Amino acid sequence: MRLQSFFASATLLATLAFGGLTGASQAADLTVGANIGNVPWEFQDASGTVVGFEIDLITEVANRLGKTVAFENIPFNGLFPAVQSGRINMAVSSITITDKRLESVSFAQPYYDSDQSLTVLAASGITGTADLKGKTIGVDTASTGDIYATENTEKLGLAGISRYEGLTPAMLDLQAGRIDGYVSDIPALLYYTKDKPEFKVVERIVTGEKYSVMFNKDDPLATEVNAVLTTLKGEGFIAELHEKWFGAAPEDTTSTVAVLDMPAAP
């Protein structure tokens, strides 16, 4: 199915309520947790509509399963207990598959390869992580960037770590000088800063991350979604999403194109 037919047929019930399930999400077959504000994966456009790479992807997955879907806005750190408690059926928000996470949750096969990045004010003089001694950096709470900064605090000589629930508040603090840099997913920062010359992504921090949909441990739904992702990769649908949101075709060797096994706990 091409993108044109997706936009014509998919049903999207976007809900932005913290706390309990809204009427819309209760009525839907699948409730999906997402940290709305995570550009370009899930965010509100100028009209207030919830859009993004993962919004498009999960809406099409639900469509292929013959189900309706509602998105519930949940801070990133809250996605894990929400999935484990059964409050939501699955979660997205550029969630990295890790061995530690696989001990308590399940993932479908990945659909995006990523790394972390360091973003600073262009006029700051900071050219990379080697210049962070005595500096304070921002991260997203419980994210891979948070793990990286915490594990490397002494090595980098950091003065402190400030934690945020999403890119926007972190970038506002960076612009205001309350933090000296922001460590987060490189695709989101490249997308965000492409028309904002006051910011600069100065270093790719190689972590070998892969993103996927998260489920409660051993939930059969993970296998169903995994099969749909295989189909969508074969049809080139996910590659088209990559071109739509990042302006370039993905490499054939990446998980956006290549069919991979479901991740398993070590």
Side-chain angles (χ1 to χ4, degrees), residues 123-233:
S124 68
I126 297 173
T127 60
T129 54
D131 297 329
L132 291 178
K133 185 175 182 180
K135 307 293 187 182
T136 297
I137 63 170
V139 299
D140 301 311
T141 303
S143 67
T144 309
D146 191 352
I147 295 169
Y148 166 82
T150 301
E151 291 179 346
N152 290 278
T153 295
E154 185 175 349
K155 177 182 177 182
L156 297 174
L158 298 177
I161 301 172
S162 295
R163 293 175 171 85
Y164 299 89
E165 301 300 336
L167 180 148
T168 300
M171 295 303 284
L172 288 173
D173 271 9
L174 178 60
Q175 188 167 31
R178 287 185 283 269
I179 57 176
D180 301 292
Y182 177 45
V183 174
S184 191
D185 302 333
I186 194 166
L189 270 301
L190 290 174
Y191 181 91
Y192 183 86
T193 61
K194 66 181 181 179
D195 58 353
K196 299 176 179 65
E198 67 271 28
F199 299 113
K200 187 175 183 180
V201 179
V202 293
E203 184 176 333
R204 175 185 287 269
I205 302 170
V206 178
T207 53
E209 297 168 71
K210 294 182 185 296
Y211 299 159
S212 190
V213 192
M214 183 172 68
F215 306 82
N216 195 12
K217 185 70 173 176
D218 299 325
D219 187 338
L221 181 61
T223 303
E224 295 180 46
V225 171
N226 188 78
V228 174
L229 292 177
T230 294
T231 299
L232 295 180
K233 287 182 180 183

Side-chain angles (χ1 to χ4, degrees), residues 16-218:
L16 299 178
F18 291 93
L21 297 181
T22 66
S25 56
Q26 287 175 329
D29 298 319
L30 298 173
T31 301
V32 182
N35 181 24
I36 307 300
N38 180 31
V39 180
W41 306 100
E42 41 273 320
F43 63 103
Q44 288 180 284
D45 65 14
S47 69
T49 302
V50 178
V51 298
F53 184 108
E54 288 175 319
I55 300 297
D56 288 351
L57 176 60
I58 297 305
T59 303
E60 180 64 10
V61 167
N63 186 54
R64 296 299 181 98
L65 292 173
K67 298 179 182 295
T68 56
V69 60
F71 291 89
E72 184 174 352
N73 190 7
I74 299 174
F76 186 84
N77 200 33
L79 294 172
F80 300 86
V83 161
Q84 291 171 307
S85 68
R87 172 183 164 188
I88 58 177
N89 301 108
M90 50 184 164
V92 291
S93 279
S94 55
I95 304 175
T96 301
I97 303 164
T98 69
D99 289 345
K100 180 65 175 177
R101 289 172 178 170
L102 284 167
E103 294 175 4
S104 56
V105 296
S106 291
F107 288 92
Q109 64 178 291
Y111 47 75
Y112 192 86
D113 298 350
S114 182
D115 285 313
Q116 293 293 290
S117 63
L118 173 63
T119 303
V120 300
L121 288 174
S124 68
I126 297 173
T127 60
T129 54
D131 297 329
L132 291 178
K133 185 175 182 180
K135 307 293 187 182
T136 297
I137 63 170
V139 299
D140 301 311
T141 303
S143 67
T144 309
D146 191 352
I147 295 169
Y148 166 82
T150 301
E151 291 179 346
N152 290 278
T153 295
E154 185 175 349
K155 177 182 177 182
L156 297 174
L158 298 177
I161 301 172
S162 295
R163 293 175 171 85
Y164 299 89
E165 301 300 336
L167 180 148
T168 300
M171 295 303 284
L172 288 173
D173 271 9
L174 178 60
Q175 188 167 31
R178 287 185 283 269
I179 57 176
D180 301 292
Y182 177 45
V183 174
S184 191
D185 302 333
I186 194 166
L189 270 301
L190 290 174
Y191 181 91
Y192 183 86
T193 61
K194 66 181 181 179
D195 58 353
K196 299 176 179 65
E198 67 271 28
F199 299 113
K200 187 175 183 180
V201 179
V202 293
E203 184 176 333
R204 175 185 287 269
I205 302 170
V206 178
T207 53
E209 297 168 71
K210 294 182 185 296
Y211 299 159
S212 190
V213 192
M214 183 172 68
F215 306 82
N216 195 12
K217 185 70 173 176
D218 299 325

